[in-house]
Amino acid sequence: MKLQFRHFLVALLPLIFGVAASWGFAFSQNTCGRLVGPLFAPKCHWIQLEYQLGFQMAGTLLGCLIAAVVGASLERRSRRGVAAVVNLNQGVES
């Protein structure tokens, strides 16, 4: 059960990072005028959404990279433990 929960958390990392980056951009940009200037502020809603999607994609990519590194290290650690048990069992003769 613990192993499945760990895998579930690693699989959630890209989603968490993507949503966090998207929300972080959305909440840091209080007004459209700050993003594009006061002249184009009335037309900037779609531009702001494009930037928000870009931040979401970048956050998802970062989450994927972190999940790959964490998953590989967990897999290496579990295989190292299995290899140690196999080596101990090979030394025992009945």
Side-chain angles (χ1 to χ4, degrees):
M1 182 67 176
K2 185 173 146 182
L3 183 65
Q4 286 86 7
F5 183 67
R6 191 179 307 157
H7 285 287
F8 180 72
L9 288 179
V10 170
L12 274 180
L13 282 177
L15 177 67
I16 292 169
F17 275 82
V19 169
S22 177
W23 282 354
F25 175 78
F27 290 127
S28 70
Q29 299 294 325
N30 293 335
T31 64
C32 283
R34 191 180 295 174
L35 180 65
V36 295
L39 184 61
F40 296 110
K43 299 179 182 180
C44 84
H45 178 70
W46 296 111
I47 295 171
Q48 187 176 10
L49 286 178
E50 286 179 18
Y51 277 108
Q52 190 174 354
L53 283 174
F55 271 80
Q56 183 177 359
M57 284 190 291
T60 303
L61 176 65
L62 179 66
C64 286
L65 292 175
I66 291 173
V69 169
V70 169
S73 67
L74 289 174
E75 181 68 22
R76 186 181 62 210
R77 190 175 75 178
S78 70
R79 286 187 185 216
R80 191 180 321 150
V82 169
V85 170
V86 168
N87 288 337
L88 289 175
N89 290 338
Q90 286 178 351
V92 176
E93 300 271 338
S94 295

